[in-house]
Every structure is written in C-alpha cells, then in structure tokens.
Amino acid sequence: MPMYTGLARVARTTGYPVVEVKNWKGRGHGKMRGCKTIVPHHTVGPTTGNYPSLRVVRDGHSTLPGPLSQLGIGRDGTIYVIGAGVAYHAGKVRKTAYSNPYAIGIEAENTGVGEPWPHAQLDSYVKLCRALIDEFKLPVGAVLGHKEICAPVGRKIDPAFIEPQMTMAEFRGYVRRGYYSAPVADVKPAGTTKPKPKPARKAWPAAALPVTGGHTTASHAAWVKLLADVGYKDKSLTTAMQRWLRGLGYYKGIIEADRGQAPVFGPMLVTALQRFLRAKGFYSRAYRIDAKRGTATVKGEIRYINSQTKHYK
Ligand SMILES: [Zn+2]
C-alpha cells in the first residue's frame, strides 16, 4: 500500500504556499493502508511564529516519535508537507476507518485556547480538506475533527475554533462549498448595514400636535394642509393665510405675492389671525389683540388646527 507522495501536488491546488519539508516523501511509520478520513487538529504550540510546531510535528517528542501528521498549516495559510506514510496523530479512535493507517492528519498552528484564527489560515484549512477529499474521492463527512473521532469521546478538544467560533459541522459546510468566509458578524464593511427605519411620524391630523408656544415643521405642515384643503394653495403659507383670512373678512392688508413681492407676515395679518382665533374661541380675552405673534397666539393657532381633525375623520 502507498506512500502518499502526491500530497504536495494536492496541497498546491489550494493556491496557498506549500513548503515541502526535506525527505517528506520517505517519512512515515510505514505505509498507509488507505485514506478514509481527513482529521483536522490544532498544535497547541508556541504563540509566535508562522509554524513553530514544525519540528515537533516532524520529529515527535520523548514519548511519541514523529511524524505526528502528514500535513501542517501555518498561521498565514502556508501548507507544510511533512510525511507521506503513517503519522501518529489519531491515537485511540472509535472506528478503524479513523485510525492512523487510514487517516491523514493536518496539524494547524493554534494554541487552542482562544487564539484567533487568521482568515487566510482557515481558508487554507478548508481548501486543503476540500482538495484531499476530492483527491481521495471521499464525502465531506469524511472530514472529522480529532475531537470527533477520539475514544473515549471527550479525550480531545481539537480542533477548537473559538475565535471565530465554529462547529465542525460549520467547518464541513465551508469544505463542501470549497472556501472559508468569515461569519457576517466579523465582516461589516461601513455603509452596508441597513439604516434603521425611522419610526413613522404620524402627520396631522392623524395625531394631534403638541400645543407649544412655537411653531414646528409639523404645525407649519398642518397649516399648509388645512388651508390647501379649503382652496388656498400658495407657494408661501403667509400668502395662503392672507387670502384665507381676507376671504373670511379679517384681513384688510395687501397680498404681496400678487404684486411680485415677497410675502410678509406683518402686523395686519397677525391682527387678523388673532381676531379670527378669538372669534373661534382659541384666543381668550385675557390676551390682547396686539399684532404680535407670541406664545398665546401660536398656542391658539395650534389648538385651532387640532380642532379641525373633526373634518378628517
Ligand atoms: Zn489532535
């Protein structure tokens, strides 16, 4: 049975840099008996460097001789091809198909305790798994994390995708698709978030205007609507109000707009408005007809406007 001397070729199809570790084609604890499982791991190695675990993965340690996996992935996505025969990565497993003679191991550099996985490394990881299942004609379900194949279950936690958080099922989802992309929450380019819909402001007369001593955009709009609805549609509210109050017999001044002049909300118009409001009961005798459009006048206007909602129901 084979030494998998095609692994470097397979790794190159990912598009990521491939490092062929010296003598990799002859490295292994004997020949593979087949390839039924692809097993991702994390190294639990040093926190710095691109692939500081290379020596351990290649040579092993005091109690376990290397190679400890056929493939490795550095933090920048570089793929290290370390062995072509059996590697000691799986340990005790739940099925023969998961055991070292049938399983290719990938040791990706990560401390396993929350170190964020770089995007390139995850993408390389996904693409390498995809390339391997394509090479060995395996289903996506043959990609099984060490934590999934180990016996007893719970003996291993790798690979731990903590940041970004990812389950093995999600990892296999990316393998099925063929590339990794960060979860939406991690990539939020400016300008692509939907603007919050503004709460619909109910226009008069759907909602009564607050009675305040000053006019607002809403009260202005209400006046415009009210006058337009009784036939006074002008470019300027002042002009419309002059025409309206003249029609009712209150306004005796000029209408500037008819003379090509800018409309003026002058004393004669305010006086007419105050008289009108008083006649309708919205400007009491406590206030003088003083030709000044002060707080009492504006409050009277708004109360009058609100009283007109009766015509809109
Ligand atoms: Zn492992």
PDB file of all heavy atoms in Angstrom, residues 145-164:
ATOM      1  N   GLY A 145     -13.003  16.075  12.877  1.00  0.00           N
ATOM      2  CA  GLY A 145     -12.040  16.617  13.822  1.00  0.00           C
ATOM      3  C   GLY A 145     -11.547  15.556  14.788  1.00  0.00           C
ATOM      4  O   GLY A 145     -12.255  14.572  15.055  1.00  0.00           O
ATOM      5  N   HIS A 146     -10.344  15.791  15.317  1.00  0.00           N
ATOM      6  CA  HIS A 146      -9.795  14.848  16.294  1.00  0.00           C
ATOM      7  C   HIS A 146     -10.788  14.632  17.436  1.00  0.00           C
ATOM      8  O   HIS A 146     -10.979  13.517  17.915  1.00  0.00           O
ATOM      9  CB  HIS A 146      -8.463  15.400  16.827  1.00  0.00           C
ATOM     10  CG  HIS A 146      -7.606  14.367  17.479  1.00  0.00           C
ATOM     11  ND1 HIS A 146      -6.464  14.691  18.187  1.00  0.00           N
ATOM     12  CD2 HIS A 146      -7.707  13.009  17.537  1.00  0.00           C
ATOM     13  CE1 HIS A 146      -5.915  13.561  18.649  1.00  0.00           C
ATOM     14  NE2 HIS A 146      -6.651  12.538  18.262  1.00  0.00           N
ATOM     15  N   LYS A 147     -11.449  15.710  17.848  1.00  0.00           N
ATOM     16  CA  LYS A 147     -12.409  15.606  18.950  1.00  0.00           C
ATOM     17  C   LYS A 147     -13.617  14.748  18.586  1.00  0.00           C
ATOM     18  O   LYS A 147     -14.338  14.287  19.472  1.00  0.00           O
ATOM     19  CB  LYS A 147     -12.866  17.004  19.377  1.00  0.00           C
ATOM     20  CG  LYS A 147     -13.549  17.828  18.291  1.00  0.00           C
ATOM     21  CD  LYS A 147     -13.729  19.284  18.737  1.00  0.00           C
ATOM     22  CE  LYS A 147     -14.245  20.151  17.593  1.00  0.00           C
ATOM     23  NZ  LYS A 147     -14.200  21.591  17.955  1.00  0.00           N
ATOM     24  N   GLU A 148     -13.830  14.532  17.298  1.00  0.00           N
ATOM     25  CA  GLU A 148     -14.975  13.725  16.873  1.00  0.00           C
ATOM     26  C   GLU A 148     -14.641  12.238  16.750  1.00  0.00           C
ATOM     27  O   GLU A 148     -15.527  11.388  16.850  1.00  0.00           O
ATOM     28  CB  GLU A 148     -15.504  14.235  15.522  1.00  0.00           C
ATOM     29  CG  GLU A 148     -16.081  15.635  15.583  1.00  0.00           C
ATOM     30  CD  GLU A 148     -16.533  16.132  14.214  1.00  0.00           C
ATOM     31  OE1 GLU A 148     -15.666  16.330  13.329  1.00  0.00           O
ATOM     32  OE2 GLU A 148     -17.744  16.327  14.039  1.00  0.00           O
ATOM     33  N   ILE A 149     -13.371  11.955  16.478  1.00  0.00           N
ATOM     34  CA  ILE A 149     -13.022  10.555  16.223  1.00  0.00           C
ATOM     35  C   ILE A 149     -12.421   9.855  17.438  1.00  0.00           C
ATOM     36  O   ILE A 149     -12.335   8.634  17.479  1.00  0.00           O
ATOM     37  CB  ILE A 149     -12.021  10.429  15.052  1.00  0.00           C
ATOM     38  CG1 ILE A 149     -10.681  11.117  15.385  1.00  0.00           C
ATOM     39  CG2 ILE A 149     -12.631  10.976  13.763  1.00  0.00           C
ATOM     40  CD1 ILE A 149      -9.538  10.696  14.472  1.00  0.00           C
ATOM     41  N   CYS A 150     -11.980  10.635  18.434  1.00  0.00           N
ATOM     42  CA  CYS A 150     -11.208  10.058  19.536  1.00  0.00           C
ATOM     43  C   CYS A 150     -12.062   9.153  20.431  1.00  0.00           C
ATOM     44  O   CYS A 150     -13.274   9.292  20.521  1.00  0.00           O
ATOM     45  CB  CYS A 150     -10.568  11.168  20.361  1.00  0.00           C
ATOM     46  SG  CYS A 150     -11.754  12.234  21.196  1.00  0.00           S
ATOM     47  N   ALA A 151     -11.372   8.237  21.053  1.00  0.00           N
ATOM     48  CA  ALA A 151     -12.014   7.379  22.047  1.00  0.00           C
ATOM     49  C   ALA A 151     -11.198   7.463  23.342  1.00  0.00           C
ATOM     50  O   ALA A 151      -9.973   7.406  23.285  1.00  0.00           O
ATOM     51  CB  ALA A 151     -12.061   5.929  21.542  1.00  0.00           C
ATOM     52  N   PRO A 152     -11.838   7.604  24.476  1.00  0.00           N
ATOM     53  CA  PRO A 152     -13.277   7.869  24.550  1.00  0.00           C
ATOM     54  C   PRO A 152     -13.598   9.284  24.070  1.00  0.00           C
ATOM     55  O   PRO A 152     -12.720  10.138  24.036  1.00  0.00           O
ATOM     56  CB  PRO A 152     -13.550   7.735  26.063  1.00  0.00           C
ATOM     57  CG  PRO A 152     -12.245   8.095  26.718  1.00  0.00           C
ATOM     58  CD  PRO A 152     -11.172   7.595  25.794  1.00  0.00           C
ATOM     59  N   VAL A 153     -14.855   9.515  23.732  1.00  0.00           N
ATOM     60  CA  VAL A 153     -15.285  10.852  23.306  1.00  0.00           C
ATOM     61  C   VAL A 153     -14.983  11.825  24.448  1.00  0.00           C
ATOM     62  O   VAL A 153     -15.205  11.511  25.612  1.00  0.00           O
ATOM     63  CB  VAL A 153     -16.796  10.848  22.982  1.00  0.00           C
ATOM     64  CG1 VAL A 153     -17.290  12.255  22.693  1.00  0.00           C
ATOM     65  CG2 VAL A 153     -17.080   9.938  21.795  1.00  0.00           C
ATOM     66  N   GLY A 154     -14.415  12.967  24.113  1.00  0.00           N
ATOM     67  CA  GLY A 154     -14.083  13.952  25.144  1.00  0.00           C
ATOM     68  C   GLY A 154     -12.606  13.929  25.500  1.00  0.00           C
ATOM     69  O   GLY A 154     -12.120  14.812  26.201  1.00  0.00           O
ATOM     70  N   ARG A 155     -11.883  12.926  24.970  1.00  0.00           N
ATOM     71  CA  ARG A 155     -10.451  12.849  25.258  1.00  0.00           C
ATOM     72  C   ARG A 155      -9.707  14.017  24.608  1.00  0.00           C
ATOM     73  O   ARG A 155      -8.687  14.471  25.123  1.00  0.00           O
ATOM     74  CB  ARG A 155      -9.904  11.511  24.740  1.00  0.00           C
ATOM     75  CG  ARG A 155      -8.421  11.285  24.973  1.00  0.00           C
ATOM     76  CD  ARG A 155      -8.004   9.858  24.604  1.00  0.00           C
ATOM     77  NE  ARG A 155      -8.123   9.560  23.175  1.00  0.00           N
ATOM     78  CZ  ARG A 155      -7.166   9.853  22.284  1.00  0.00           C
ATOM     79  NH1 ARG A 155      -6.059  10.446  22.650  1.00  0.00           N
ATOM     80  NH2 ARG A 155      -7.355   9.550  21.014  1.00  0.00           N
ATOM     81  N   LYS A 156     -10.219  14.485  23.484  1.00  0.00           N
ATOM     82  CA  LYS A 156      -9.562  15.567  22.737  1.00  0.00           C
ATOM     83  C   LYS A 156     -10.526  16.729  22.502  1.00  0.00           C
ATOM     84  O   LYS A 156     -11.737  16.518  22.426  1.00  0.00           O
ATOM     85  CB  LYS A 156      -9.062  15.042  21.385  1.00  0.00           C
ATOM     86  CG  LYS A 156      -7.887  14.095  21.500  1.00  0.00           C
ATOM     87  CD  LYS A 156      -6.641  14.874  21.878  1.00  0.00           C
ATOM     88  CE  LYS A 156      -5.450  13.943  22.095  1.00  0.00           C
ATOM     89  NZ  LYS A 156      -4.244  14.716  22.472  1.00  0.00           N
ATOM     90  N   ILE A 157      -9.973  17.930  22.377  1.00  0.00           N
ATOM     91  CA  ILE A 157     -10.834  19.099  22.099  1.00  0.00           C
ATOM     92  C   ILE A 157     -10.488  19.719  20.750  1.00  0.00           C
ATOM     93  O   ILE A 157     -11.099  20.706  20.332  1.00  0.00           O
ATOM     94  CB  ILE A 157     -10.681  20.190  23.178  1.00  0.00           C
ATOM     95  CG1 ILE A 157      -9.241  20.736  23.197  1.00  0.00           C
ATOM     96  CG2 ILE A 157     -11.124  19.692  24.542  1.00  0.00           C
ATOM     97  CD1 ILE A 157      -9.127  22.143  23.721  1.00  0.00           C
ATOM     98  N   ASP A 158      -9.486  19.147  20.064  1.00  0.00           N
ATOM     99  CA  ASP A 158      -9.047  19.807  18.828  1.00  0.00           C
ATOM    100  C   ASP A 158      -9.727  19.236  17.587  1.00  0.00           C
ATOM    101  O   ASP A 158     -10.114  18.071  17.590  1.00  0.00           O
ATOM    102  CB  ASP A 158      -7.515  19.720  18.704  1.00  0.00           C
ATOM    103  CG  ASP A 158      -7.035  18.278  18.499  1.00  0.00           C
ATOM    104  OD1 ASP A 158      -7.530  17.379  19.209  1.00  0.00           O
ATOM    105  OD2 ASP A 158      -6.183  18.066  17.624  1.00  0.00           O
ATOM    106  N   PRO A 159      -9.883  20.080  16.577  1.00  0.00           N
ATOM    107  CA  PRO A 159      -9.503  21.495  16.558  1.00  0.00           C
ATOM    108  C   PRO A 159     -10.580  22.348  17.212  1.00  0.00           C
ATOM    109  O   PRO A 159     -11.759  22.174  16.956  1.00  0.00           O
ATOM    110  CB  PRO A 159      -9.402  21.801  15.064  1.00  0.00           C
ATOM    111  CG  PRO A 159     -10.404  20.893  14.426  1.00  0.00           C
ATOM    112  CD  PRO A 159     -10.446  19.645  15.279  1.00  0.00           C
ATOM    113  N   ALA A 160     -10.142  23.290  18.045  1.00  0.00           N
ATOM    114  CA  ALA A 160     -11.076  24.185  18.719  1.00  0.00           C
ATOM    115  C   ALA A 160     -11.140  25.500  17.948  1.00  0.00           C
ATOM    116  O   ALA A 160     -10.156  26.224  17.879  1.00  0.00           O
ATOM    117  CB  ALA A 160     -10.620  24.426  20.152  1.00  0.00           C
ATOM    118  N   PHE A 161     -12.274  25.753  17.366  1.00  0.00           N
ATOM    119  CA  PHE A 161     -12.471  27.032  16.678  1.00  0.00           C
ATOM    120  C   PHE A 161     -13.252  27.928  17.636  1.00  0.00           C
ATOM    121  O   PHE A 161     -14.484  27.868  17.699  1.00  0.00           O
ATOM    122  CB  PHE A 161     -13.221  26.832  15.364  1.00  0.00           C
ATOM    123  CG  PHE A 161     -12.486  25.962  14.379  1.00  0.00           C
ATOM    124  CD1 PHE A 161     -12.963  24.713  14.021  1.00  0.00           C
ATOM    125  CD2 PHE A 161     -11.288  26.401  13.818  1.00  0.00           C
ATOM    126  CE1 PHE A 161     -12.292  23.916  13.109  1.00  0.00           C
ATOM    127  CE2 PHE A 161     -10.603  25.600  12.904  1.00  0.00           C
ATOM    128  CZ  PHE A 161     -11.104  24.353  12.553  1.00  0.00           C
ATOM    129  N   ILE A 162     -12.481  28.699  18.388  1.00  0.00           N
ATOM    130  CA  ILE A 162     -13.102  29.550  19.409  1.00  0.00           C
ATOM    131  C   ILE A 162     -13.326  30.959  18.874  1.00  0.00           C
ATOM    132  O   ILE A 162     -14.354  31.572  19.085  1.00  0.00           O
ATOM    133  CB  ILE A 162     -12.215  29.570  20.680  1.00  0.00           C
ATOM    134  CG1 ILE A 162     -12.132  28.146  21.263  1.00  0.00           C
ATOM    135  CG2 ILE A 162     -12.773  30.554  21.719  1.00  0.00           C
ATOM    136  CD1 ILE A 162     -11.070  27.961  22.326  1.00  0.00           C
ATOM    137  N   GLU A 163     -12.310  31.467  18.177  1.00  0.00           N
ATOM    138  CA  GLU A 163     -12.407  32.826  17.606  1.00  0.00           C
ATOM    139  C   GLU A 163     -11.894  32.804  16.183  1.00  0.00           C
ATOM    140  O   GLU A 163     -10.679  32.749  16.001  1.00  0.00           O
ATOM    141  CB  GLU A 163     -11.590  33.799  18.468  1.00  0.00           C
ATOM    142  CG  GLU A 163     -11.571  35.224  17.969  1.00  0.00           C
ATOM    143  CD  GLU A 163     -12.947  35.837  17.915  1.00  0.00           C
ATOM    144  OE1 GLU A 163     -13.685  35.711  18.905  1.00  0.00           O
ATOM    145  OE2 GLU A 163     -13.285  36.418  16.881  1.00  0.00           O
ATOM    146  N   PRO A 164     -12.712  32.797  15.151  1.00  0.00           N
ATOM    147  CA  PRO A 164     -14.172  32.826  15.246  1.00  0.00           C
ATOM    148  C   PRO A 164     -14.711  31.477  15.695  1.00  0.00           C
ATOM    149  O   PRO A 164     -14.104  30.448  15.454  1.00  0.00           O
ATOM    150  CB  PRO A 164     -14.604  33.124  13.816  1.00  0.00           C
ATOM    151  CG  PRO A 164     -13.521  32.562  12.967  1.00  0.00           C
ATOM    152  CD  PRO A 164     -12.260  32.769  13.745  1.00  0.00           C
TER     153      PRO A 164
END
